[in-house]
Amino acid sequence: MSTPVAAAGFPMVTPALSRGTVDRSEDLRDPDRIAAAWPTARVLTLDPAGRAEIRTGSDGVPSLVTVPAPDVAAAVPTEAVLLGAVDGVDHWAVPVATVDGPESTDGWSTEAIPGEDSGPTRLGLRDVGAVLGDRDAGLLTAATALLTWHRRAPFCPACGRPSTPTTAGWARRCPEGHEEFPRTDPAVIMLVHDGAGSMVLARQPSWPPGRVSVLAGFVEAGEALEATVAREIGEEIGIAVTDIAYLGSQPWPFPRSLMVGFVARAERGAVLSPRPGEIEEATWVTREQVRRILAAGGSADGITLPGGVSIARHMVEGWAAVDD
């Protein structure tokens, strides 16, 4: 599935974590309907590291492991979150204690994707988000976002008292009646090009040598998305851009971002001035070089591109596919 973007000049395949096909209608959260549907519902579990049970069958395709809801509890647990309905069947997520491995807070896992006919193993969204089917990618993305939010927001921001989940996990309420909803922090992610076959790749100081990506930054209060794009590019690499155009978006629940993709054009040969402490290095790369790196699986010439679960990878691939 791809999204044509005429203004940007190239199409972008729908990002891995934006492929959800689950019915998330608010009407599904009616308490009476939920209670009646619980006996036929399915449940997936997430540990504190953001890992769900994954099974890979003989076809080599990984999928989420879910269990019948009555096997989990006789009625909906307080900590359960309703992810939505699949073919009329409710799908829920519940948190479980840490299983086999150090606890993390960002969804990373060091386990490998299981081989053919493997038993279940726990893997995070970063590990398998790009290779899960559309339905499972949507379920795991929502589960990661919601359960991470509940774990990080146990107290009411208005009065400081403990709050409890409500509305099938889509809100929290404290004893004073204050209600809070899951937060999403918008961030822009930008592919800067010169309109002549070159684009910018940059590396943050915390990344290992060779690992690069496009630029990104958080939207500030009272700021439009396009203004954020221009400001962040100016701050991070010291150049001005024009022709800012929207590409697409992707949820990024690490812990609660929405990545909004843009493309922007800079002057050909513009001198890049990486901002100390934010960008370790930035460079112009040609379309031919990017294509060569992609053909090698995403790593070549001492450069490693973002992984397939990131919207950044799809942006780079879309730009690289355009004819010079």
Side-chain angles (χ1 to χ4, degrees):
M1 178 165 45
S2 64
T3 304
V5 185
F10 63 87
M12 182 180 70
V13 173
T14 301
L17 305 187
S18 299
R19 297 174 292 127
T21 58
V22 179
D23 180 2
R24 292 165 51 126
S25 170
E26 185 177 359
D27 294 338
L28 297 175
R29 302 167 196 170
D30 176 76
D32 293 335
R33 195 209 66 82
I34 285 173
W38 179 255
T40 60
R42 305 290 300 184
V43 177
L44 64 92
T45 60
L46 253 67
D47 68 16
R51 299 173 298 193
E53 278 197 298
I54 305 292
R55 182 187 298 276
T56 300
S58 57
D59 59 359
V61 178
S63 60
L64 285 174
V65 175
T66 63
V67 298
D71 290 356
V72 175
V76 180
T78 301
E79 68 275 14
V81 296
L82 177 61
L83 307 177
V86 177
D87 297 329
V89 177
D90 285 2
H91 280 61
W92 295 77
V94 297
V96 295
T98 303
V99 178
D100 296 332
E103 181 172 339
S104 172
T105 59
D106 62 4
W108 281 99
S109 170
T110 57
E111 299 180 65
I113 296 176
E116 294 185 356
D117 294 315
S118 68
T121 188
R122 287 196 173 270
L123 295 168
L125 190 59
R126 294 184 195 251
D127 301 304
V128 294
V131 291
L132 289 172
D134 292 358
R135 181 202 67 180
D136 283 359
L139 287 170
L140 186 53
T141 300
T144 302
L146 281 170
L147 292 181
T148 298
W149 172 66
H150 282 293
R151 189 171 64 249
R152 288 173 170 240
F155 300 101
C156 174
C159 66
R161 299 186 65 179
S163 60
T164 56
T166 185
T167 320
W170 288 89
R172 295 184 69 89
R173 186 177 291 116
C174 74
E176 299 294 328
H178 301 132
E179 197 166 37
E180 183 185 15
F181 300 92
R183 276 190 54 184
T184 296
D185 297 335
V188 294
I189 183 164
M190 306 83 70
L191 187 150
V192 180
H193 69 103
D194 64 359
S198 294
M199 65 164 289
V200 174
L201 288 174
R203 182 171 73 86
Q204 294 183 11
S206 60
W207 292 353
R211 180 185 170 190
V212 296
S213 186
V214 296
L215 303 175
F218 283 105
V219 180
E220 294 187 344
E223 188 174 45
L225 296 173
E226 293 82 359
T228 306
V229 170
R231 174 181 58 78
E232 285 286 345
I233 293 172
E235 289 176 355
E236 294 192 345
I237 57 174
I239 62 174
V241 294
T242 59
D243 300 335
I244 297 171
Y246 174 76
L247 283 174
S249 65
Q250 172 173 275
W252 193 247
F254 306 110
R256 53 175 180 257
S257 296
L258 174 68
M259 306 303 296
V260 187
F262 287 88
V263 62
R265 185 175 64 84
E267 289 296 323
R268 186 174 184 178
V271 177
L272 308 181
S273 301
R275 187 182 185 90
E278 288 192 31
I279 302 295
E280 185 72 14
E281 55 185 334
T283 185
W284 288 102
V285 293
T286 66
R287 186 172 276 116
E288 179 182 355
Q289 184 178 13
V290 172
R291 287 172 176 169
R292 184 167 61 249
I293 296 169
L294 289 169
S299 185
D301 300 345
I303 293 175
T304 300
L305 296 174
V309 75
S310 170
I311 187 176
R313 178 62 169 266
H314 297 288
M315 295 168 68
V316 172
E317 290 174 344
W319 176 82
V322 175
D323 292 332
D324 289 319

